[in-house]
Amino acid sequence: MSGSPGTGSRGKKTVSLSELAFVFSKLGVIAFGGPAAHIAMMEDEFVRNRRWITEEGFLDRVAAASLIPGPSSTEVGIFIGHSLRGWAGLVVAGSCFIIPAAILVSLIAAAYVRFGSLPQAEGILRTVKPVVIAIILQALWNLGRTVAKTRVLILIGVASAVLNFVGGSPLLVLVFAGASSGIVWWLRKSRRLPVALCGIGVPKLFSPIGLTVFAVASALPVSLGRLFVSFLKIGSLVFGSGYVLLAFLRAEFVDHLHWLTEKQLIDAVAVGQFTPGPVFTTATFIGYLVGGLPGAFFATLGIFLPGFVFVAVSGPLIPKIRRSPRAGAVLDGVVVGSLALIAVVAWQLGKSSITDWITVSILAVSIIAIFRFKVNSAWLILIAGTVGWVAGR
């Protein structure tokens, strides 16, 4: 099944599944730098070089991926695969982009379990962590300039950060932010006073939902099934940026289940950053730590499966959502809430990682390199890791 008219595919030739598999596997091996870099590589590959999809069709899929939960760059690839070869293309494109990174992360996790306590490995991970903080700050800055369009959205973002900082779950924060933005839009349309928003107890309305979810989760046994369910839930809820994943991981595996330490979490984040492919393969690393190779498989399956489902079902809905001012207002709030979660994560990870003059120096150099000179984060992580390896000898 080739792309049909109106889907954004050029329709000049039928792309074979083997071609699709080859290109996405290649991208899965070389796609360093995070979602923005992945999307730029996909545009160059599919729009300019191979001309498999039009510029307009590509941009439509980028916009659609930004409106659904999950890893945005992976979902752009899944959208492209679906437009070119239907359901088979959807599976092939997404799987071939994910699998190379998942295999590499599993190998690194095995080495971490075997050698992670050695001084050299400790030194490498200690010096990589400040670079991860700088990368998160860059994402926060770039997204914030685009999303925080009004004073109301800025206030919602600040309130969301405070709510998460005092213990509100990531899901509750996103619900609060989306509902608040939607209510403000409704008040303006109704010509009501915006101050009425202050009397709305949104957290009280939605907190039972979050409590119920966590209560059901805590009742399940510690097993591969429980691991799969945890990541399936996270993959279904993470919205706005791959970095928001960190907040959900901390809430689930550090604070709630106590399966990971703070150190293991940030080590998993570092591995997800310096490997190619989706940032969400951080889940693969965590799954290996918890349950070995089977754990890595079920964690990867759980966190990526919702993305395939959302792409498959969202096609007819996306145009309607984009045309609705009310839905757009809610989505603006959700994205601002996502940025608030990123800010809190950056603060919490920074407290546990920036502990001496070496880490402070690496953080400062990384910030300058990323913001001023636009250095690729993969190079910074490689250099920082080398410094840590030499210092740990």
Side-chain angles (χ1 to χ4, degrees):
M1 172 182 171
S2 62
S4 58
T7 63
S9 55
R10 294 185 184 271
K12 293 183 178 179
K13 66 173 280 189
T14 299
V15 177
S16 70
L17 290 177
S18 60
E19 287 179 289
L20 204 61
F22 171 77
V23 176
F24 274 101
S25 296
K26 181 183 74 172
L27 288 172
V29 172
I30 67 173
F32 289 93
H38 302 169
I39 290 172
M41 290 180 185
M42 289 182 187
E43 181 180 21
D44 186 60
E45 187 74 40
F46 298 113
V47 177
R48 299 178 184 177
N49 293 341
R50 299 181 182 271
R51 300 180 64 84
W52 285 354
I53 189 171
T54 65
E55 182 75 28
E56 294 78 9
F58 181 81
L59 292 175
D60 282 347
R61 283 154 181 80
V62 172
S66 70
L67 296 177
I68 57 179
S72 57
S73 59
T74 305
E75 288 171 340
V76 170
I78 297 172
F79 269 119
I80 291 172
H82 184 259
S83 70
L84 293 172
R85 287 304 306 265
W87 288 92
L90 177 148
V91 174
V92 168
S95 299
C96 289
F97 185 61
I98 294 165
I99 288 174
I103 292 174
L104 179 57
V105 169
S106 296
L107 294 174
I108 294 173
Y112 176 88
V113 171
R114 177 68 177 85
F115 303 110
S117 61
L118 294 180
Q120 291 89 342
E122 290 287 341
I124 292 171
L125 292 171
R126 182 170 70 97
T127 52
V128 163
K129 291 171 186 177
V131 182
V132 174
I133 303 299
I135 294 169
I136 296 174
L137 291 177
Q138 181 196 35
L140 181 63
W141 173 255
N142 290 338
L143 293 171
R145 289 189 303 170
T146 302
V147 172
K149 298 176 287 189
T150 66
R151 291 182 181 179
V152 170
L153 287 174
I154 293 173
L155 289 175
I156 290 174
V158 172
S160 298
V162 172
L163 178 60
N164 184 236
F165 195 78
V166 299
S169 71
L171 175 59
L172 176 60
V173 170
L174 296 182
V175 171
F176 164 78
S180 298
S181 182
I183 290 169
V184 169
W185 178 89
W186 178 79
L187 290 173
R188 285 174 171 172
K189 291 292 289 184
S190 302
R191 302 184 184 277
R192 307 282 183 87
L193 290 176
V195 73
L197 181 62
C198 300
I200 299 175
V202 176
K204 294 181 181 179
L205 290 176
F206 291 101
S207 56
I209 298 177
L211 293 174
T212 301
V213 169
F214 285 114
V216 172
S218 64
L220 295 174
V222 176
S223 64
L224 292 178
R226 179 67 182 85
L227 182 70
F228 173 77
V229 169
S230 291
F231 277 110
L232 187 69
K233 178 180 66 175
I234 292 172
S236 301
L237 298 176
V238 174
F239 191 101
S241 167
Y243 298 107
V244 182
L245 171 68
L246 310 184
F248 281 82
L249 292 175
R250 170 177 283 103
E252 181 75 0
F253 294 104
V254 178
D255 298 335
H256 179 63
L257 294 176
H258 307 292
W259 287 0
L260 295 178
T261 65
E262 187 78 21
K263 174 184 178 300
Q264 289 173 322
L265 175 62
I266 197 167
D267 290 346
V269 174
V271 170
Q273 288 294 331
F274 68 68
T275 51
V279 175
F280 275 40
T281 50
T282 296
T284 307
F285 186 90
I286 293 173
Y288 191 98
L289 296 187
V290 174
L293 279 176
F297 172 79
F298 281 105
T300 305
L301 180 64
I303 201 160
F304 284 106
L305 183 59
F308 286 87
V309 175
F310 288 136
V311 169
V313 303
S314 63
L317 301 177
I318 293 299
K320 296 180 182 179
I321 294 175
R322 293 177 66 191
R323 289 195 297 266
S324 169
R326 180 180 302 174
V330 172
L331 287 169
D332 284 343
V334 171
V335 174
V336 168
S338 299
L339 294 186
L341 293 177
I342 295 174
V344 174
V345 165
W347 168 256
Q348 292 172 335
L349 294 182
K351 282 200 306 179
S352 64
S353 303
I354 311 302
T355 55
D356 53 31
W357 70 269
I358 294 178
T359 52
V360 170
S361 300
I362 293 174
L363 175 64
V365 170
S366 299
I367 289 175
I368 294 172
I370 289 175
F371 281 87
R372 178 67 179 85
F373 298 103
K374 312 299 182 185
V375 177
N376 189 295
S377 59
W379 288 109
L380 291 176
I381 289 175
L382 178 62
I383 293 171
T386 302
V387 171
W389 181 77
V390 172
R393 296 183 65 180

